[in-house]
Each structure stands twice: as structure tokens, then as C-alpha cells.
Amino acid sequence: MPVPRFTPALRRVALAAALLASAGVQALSVGEIVRQSHLGEPLRAVVPLGKLGTLSEDQIVVGRAPEATHKAYGIDHASYTSPLRFALEVDAKGEARVLVTSEQPVTEPMVDLVLEVKWPSGRSVKHFTLLLDPSGR
């Protein structure tokens, strides 16, 4: 049976269609968490998300993942000893990041958290384990 051949014109049409279809898809990349605080201090950590591209800041929702997601990771949703706050920050170049903070000092040397990032065309969930060293070490 003969193999169908794609003409150069048909290849260009297929490539253009693929590019147009992918142009509307925007994905954020949840990077690795960077700890900026120590044991005995209020938590401060940053998670990079990359460039927003065509997304606007108000299209992105960041926060603690739902209880069912915590269970899927084997983490007790109620295990946080102090409430965590999640805030989206975007710089002048369109680079986004999630700032994770607490008002109270963290007294446990290990903090597990599950971050959820949602936008109109997608959702990303990532589990992080932070190991907090005493300050001054």
C-alpha cells in the first residue's frame, strides 16, 4: 500500500494550524521553593512561576491546595501549626512568583506544604518540604 505524501503546501498549512492552536494555550511553570527564613522566625519562601505571557495577574489564583489533594500526598491538611499566606507577585518584566509567609514564627524544623496554582486554561499542584535551620547557623 503506498504511503501518502504531504506536499510542501500541505505541510505549511499543518504547521500554521498547529502554531495557531498552541498560541492560546498558556502554562505556568511551578519552580523550586527558595527558603528565606529560619527556624523560630516567621516563614518566608518564594516559588518562581516564570513569565506570565498572555495571562494577566488577576487570572491567576495561588494558595494552599484543597484537603483532598493533601490526602493524595499523604499530608494532614490540619498539620500546619500557623496559618500560611500565599501571594502572587509579578515584576516589571512579567516574571511571576508566589510568596509564602506566616505571621507567627515557625517552631517545627520541617514544614510540608502543597501549593496550588490555577489559571483559566490549567492548574498545577506541587508538594514542598522545607527544612528550617536555626538562625545564625
Side-chain angles (χ1 to χ4, degrees):
M1 182 177 266
V3 177
R5 297 206 179 251
F6 292 102
T7 65
L10 186 56
R11 284 186 193 144
R12 284 193 296 274
V13 169
L15 178 61
L19 289 173
L20 286 173
S22 66
V25 176
Q26 178 68 40
L28 295 172
S29 173
V30 179
E32 292 303 316
I33 197 164
V34 177
R35 177 184 49 82
Q36 298 178 338
S37 60
H38 298 279
L39 186 64
E41 299 175 349
L43 180 66
R44 181 174 170 83
V46 175
V47 180
L49 298 178
K51 286 206 178 280
L52 289 185
T54 60
L55 292 172
S56 66
E57 195 171 335
D58 57 340
Q59 291 179 296
I60 302 166
V61 178
V62 297
R64 187 171 150 190
E67 185 173 356
T69 305
H70 277 76
K71 284 182 181 177
Y73 281 98
I75 299 170
D76 181 12
H77 192 256
S79 68
Y80 297 108
T81 55
S82 77
L84 299 178
R85 289 182 295 193
F86 299 84
L88 177 68
E89 294 183 341
V90 181
D91 68 16
K93 296 178 183 176
E95 292 283 341
R97 66 188 197 156
V98 178
L99 181 61
V100 184
T101 59
S102 70
E103 284 188 20
Q104 301 298 319
V106 177
T107 58
E108 296 295 324
M110 187 173 82
V111 176
D112 277 312
L113 65 97
V114 183
L115 172 67
E116 178 180 58
V117 180
K118 296 189 290 187
W119 60 96
S121 63
R123 172 182 180 257
S124 184
V125 174
K126 193 163 185 178
H127 169 244
F128 298 102
T129 300
L130 289 168
L131 300 175
L132 301 171
D133 297 323
S135 62
R137 287 196 179 179

